[in-house]
mmCIF file of all heavy atoms in Angstrom:
data_model
loop_
_atom_site.group_PDB
_atom_site.id
_atom_site.type_symbol
_atom_site.label_atom_id
_atom_site.label_comp_id
_atom_site.label_asym_id
_atom_site.label_seq_id
_atom_site.Cartn_x
_atom_site.Cartn_y
_atom_site.Cartn_z
ATOM 1 N N THR A 61 17.765 -20.358 -0.242
ATOM 2 C CA THR A 61 16.743 -19.344 -0.446
ATOM 3 C C THR A 61 16.033 -19.028 0.793
ATOM 4 O O THR A 61 16.047 -19.909 1.683
ATOM 5 C CB THR A 61 15.769 -19.665 -1.466
ATOM 6 O OG1 THR A 61 14.924 -20.813 -1.031
ATOM 7 C CG2 THR A 61 16.374 -20.125 -2.869
ATOM 8 N N GLY A 62 15.487 -17.855 0.932
ATOM 9 C CA GLY A 62 14.630 -17.493 2.054
ATOM 10 C C GLY A 62 13.371 -18.453 2.269
ATOM 11 O O GLY A 62 13.012 -18.825 3.359
ATOM 12 N N GLU A 63 12.802 -18.855 1.108
ATOM 13 C CA GLU A 63 11.608 -19.679 1.052
ATOM 14 C C GLU A 63 11.970 -21.051 1.665
ATOM 15 O O GLU A 63 11.234 -21.632 2.502
ATOM 16 C CB GLU A 63 11.025 -19.785 -0.327
ATOM 17 C CG GLU A 63 10.338 -18.574 -0.856
ATOM 18 C CD GLU A 63 11.310 -17.429 -1.312
ATOM 19 O OE1 GLU A 63 12.528 -17.733 -1.436
ATOM 20 O OE2 GLU A 63 10.795 -16.348 -1.460
ATOM 21 N N GLN A 64 13.091 -21.599 1.208
ATOM 22 C CA GLN A 64 13.542 -22.973 1.720
ATOM 23 C C GLN A 64 13.889 -22.838 3.219
ATOM 24 O O GLN A 64 13.651 -23.873 3.997
ATOM 25 C CB GLN A 64 14.709 -23.471 0.925
ATOM 26 C CG GLN A 64 14.300 -23.906 -0.467
ATOM 27 C CD GLN A 64 15.461 -24.512 -1.282
ATOM 28 O OE1 GLN A 64 16.257 -25.286 -0.684
ATOM 29 N NE2 GLN A 64 15.566 -24.229 -2.560
ATOM 30 N N ALA A 65 14.455 -21.757 3.642
ATOM 31 C CA ALA A 65 14.867 -21.560 4.997
ATOM 32 C C ALA A 65 13.582 -21.484 5.868
ATOM 33 O O ALA A 65 13.527 -22.153 6.949
ATOM 34 C CB ALA A 65 15.651 -20.310 5.181
ATOM 35 N N LEU A 66 12.537 -20.761 5.391
ATOM 36 C CA LEU A 66 11.223 -20.716 6.168
ATOM 37 C C LEU A 66 10.677 -22.120 6.238
ATOM 38 O O LEU A 66 10.177 -22.525 7.336
ATOM 39 C CB LEU A 66 10.312 -19.810 5.436
ATOM 40 C CG LEU A 66 9.041 -19.487 6.129
ATOM 41 C CD1 LEU A 66 9.247 -18.795 7.494
ATOM 42 C CD2 LEU A 66 8.123 -18.574 5.286
ATOM 43 N N ALA A 67 10.700 -22.896 5.197
ATOM 44 C CA ALA A 67 10.130 -24.177 5.264
ATOM 45 C C ALA A 67 10.841 -25.130 6.253
ATOM 46 O O ALA A 67 10.287 -25.872 6.991
ATOM 47 C CB ALA A 67 10.135 -24.894 3.818
ATOM 48 N N LYS A 68 12.231 -24.951 6.248
ATOM 49 C CA LYS A 68 13.034 -25.770 7.200
ATOM 50 C C LYS A 68 12.587 -25.380 8.722
ATOM 51 O O LYS A 68 12.589 -26.225 9.539
ATOM 52 C CB LYS A 68 14.440 -25.598 6.971
ATOM 53 C CG LYS A 68 15.036 -26.347 5.745
ATOM 54 C CD LYS A 68 16.518 -26.106 5.634
ATOM 55 C CE LYS A 68 17.073 -26.979 4.447
ATOM 56 N NZ LYS A 68 17.036 -28.410 4.709
ATOM 57 N N CYS A 69 12.432 -24.036 8.867
ATOM 58 C CA CYS A 69 12.169 -23.635 10.284
ATOM 59 C C CYS A 69 10.750 -24.014 10.691
ATOM 60 O O CYS A 69 10.511 -24.090 11.940
ATOM 61 C CB CYS A 69 12.339 -22.118 10.372
ATOM 62 S SG CYS A 69 13.978 -21.524 10.191
ATOM 63 N N ILE A 70 9.893 -24.270 9.783
ATOM 64 C CA ILE A 70 8.553 -24.825 10.122
ATOM 65 C C ILE A 70 8.641 -26.244 10.706
ATOM 66 O O ILE A 70 7.929 -26.575 11.636
ATOM 67 C CB ILE A 70 7.618 -24.692 8.929
ATOM 68 C CG1 ILE A 70 7.259 -23.256 8.543
ATOM 69 C CG2 ILE A 70 6.253 -25.494 9.236
ATOM 70 C CD1 ILE A 70 6.472 -23.143 7.285
ATOM 71 N N ASN A 71 9.609 -26.938 10.162
ATOM 72 C CA ASN A 71 9.766 -28.442 10.586
ATOM 73 C C ASN A 71 10.807 -28.658 11.604
ATOM 74 O O ASN A 71 10.910 -29.734 12.224
ATOM 75 C CB ASN A 71 10.053 -29.277 9.342
ATOM 76 C CG ASN A 71 8.976 -29.191 8.247
ATOM 77 O OD1 ASN A 71 7.785 -29.348 8.591
ATOM 78 N ND2 ASN A 71 9.319 -28.920 7.038
ATOM 79 N N MET A 72 11.607 -27.653 11.910
ATOM 80 C CA MET A 72 12.691 -27.838 12.823
ATOM 81 C C MET A 72 13.039 -26.532 13.598
ATOM 82 O O MET A 72 13.119 -25.483 12.961
ATOM 83 C CB MET A 72 13.979 -28.322 12.031
ATOM 84 C CG MET A 72 15.218 -28.439 12.872
ATOM 85 S SD MET A 72 15.168 -29.927 13.892
ATOM 86 C CE MET A 72 15.351 -31.236 12.674
#
Side-chain angles (χ1 to χ4, degrees):
T61 68
E63 287 76 12
Q64 290 184 36
L66 185 62
K68 283 182 177 291
C69 290
I70 291 173
N71 297 313
M72 174 75 72

